[in-house]
Amino acid sequence: GQQVMQIPQYQHVQEGEDFTTYCNSSTTLSNIQWYKQRPGGHPVFLIQLVKSGEVKKQKRLTFQFGEAKKNSSLHITATQTTDVGTYFCAGPGAGSYQLTFGKGTKLSVIP
Amino acid sequence: DTAVSQTPKYLVTQMGNDKSIKCEQNLGHDTMYWYKQDSKKFLKIMFSYNNKELIINETVPNRFSPKSPDKAHLNLHINSLELGDSAVYFCASSQGLSGTDTQYFGPGTRLTVL
């Protein structure tokens, strides 16, 4: 079955440093979605990437979808304490509607 | 108004008991899900319903029985609770079954089995 792998599992950064999490799928993805879960909260949709090589930005967050549509990354520039949480990527396999979530990257920001 | 709501938020119970978690969405979505999130934060899908019909039933013990009385509600009943059932259970909904549909999660129910 499809697997979605995310690295790193944990990341501790000093406030102001950059942060990147990577997502890799064992199969080609029709799209990839990113979610953020704050401590004690629930996953909240951030963005969806559909096109090969697509890059989208949300303020300090930059999302990329690989050319082969099998990998993606989320980069945060100059982290702030409000960025703390677990970031999940999720994607359906080709021809599948079921979303498979990566195991998430837990980001801690040291003030 | 809360888009996806769950009750209760916390549930503490003894091993062997039976309990239910309720979920409601007011987004007009056709598809609803139950996820289990363990202590390591892994999100694993348990069930998916589309228009009240079961679509996905992952490898879940048959002690777990979902029920969808209508498109806006998906409840989860758990029989004979075990210690390993302790987790946070999230309900979610999406417009449809398309893999491009965004999922909206409820606030979660933290289940603790003693």
Side-chain angles (χ1 to χ4, degrees):
Chain A
Q2 182 205 17
Q3 290 187 347
V4 176
M5 288 147 291
Q6 239 181 299
I7 55 169
Q9 194 172 345
Y10 302 96
Q11 185 81 58
H12 303 274
V13 299
Q14 203 74 35
E15 189 172 16
E17 290 182 340
D18 292 356
F19 158 78
T20 305
T21 173
Y22 301 91
C23 183
N24 289 287
S25 170
S26 58
T27 60
T28 302
L29 300 168
S30 58
N31 75 98
I32 192 151
Q33 300 178 27
W34 285 90
Y35 292 76
K36 176 183 177 181
Q37 183 177 17
R38 294 182 187 272
H42 57 278
V44 174
F45 173 77
L46 291 177
I47 208 160
Q48 180 184 69
L49 304 170
V50 179
K51 298 177 184 175
S52 168
E54 189 170 12
V55 177
K56 284 188 178 180
K57 291 192 175 185
Q58 285 180 352
K59 298 183 180 177
R60 294 178 294 102
L61 277 61
T62 302
F63 303 84
Q64 288 190 312
F65 201 9
E67 293 291 340
K69 301 182 77 170
K70 293 179 77 172
N71 61 287
S72 180
S73 65
L74 157 59
H75 179 83
I76 303 178
T77 305
T79 54
Q80 298 175 0
T81 53
T82 52
D83 296 325
V84 163
T86 301
Y87 293 84
F88 294 95
C89 63
S96 169
Y97 51 82
Q98 178 183 342
L99 270 186
T100 299
F101 281 80
K103 291 184 177 178
T105 296
K106 185 175 181 179
L107 172 64
S108 300
V109 179
I110 305 160
Chain B
D1 282 343
T2 306
V4 182
S5 58
Q6 290 179 234
T7 54
K9 191 168 174 63
Y10 300 96
L11 192 50
V12 182
T13 188
Q14 299 285 336
M15 260 192 339
N17 284 350
D18 303 338
K19 290 293 177 186
S20 292
I21 308 172
K22 295 186 175 182
C23 178
E24 177 181 0
Q25 55 96 1
N26 63 7
L27 297 167
H29 288 168
D30 288 340
T31 308
M32 296 184 72
Y33 312 84
W34 277 111
Y35 286 87
K36 179 180 180 181
Q37 187 173 50
D38 60 23
S39 56
K40 292 186 178 179
K41 295 291 190 183
F42 300 159
L43 261 175
K44 187 172 179 183
I45 190 164
M46 300 172 70
F47 301 101
S48 168
Y49 268 73
N50 182 253
N51 282 317
K52 303 192 299 174
E53 299 291 328
L54 178 65
I55 303 299
I56 300 171
N57 181 359
E58 292 296 317
T59 307
V60 175
N62 57 16
R63 298 181 294 103
F64 291 80
S65 52
K67 198 164 189 178
S68 182
D70 55 59
K71 277 190 347 179
H73 296 86
L74 180 62
N75 304 323
L76 183 65
H77 186 76
I78 316 169
N79 289 325
S80 304
L81 279 156
E82 301 177 357
L83 293 176
D85 297 333
S86 294
V88 180
Y89 292 83
F90 287 103
C91 175
S93 72
S94 64
Q95 185 65 55
L97 277 176
S98 169
T100 58
D101 288 331
T102 302
Q103 295 195 8
Y104 294 82
F105 285 79
T109 296
R110 181 174 293 277
L111 172 65
T112 304
V113 183
L114 304 173

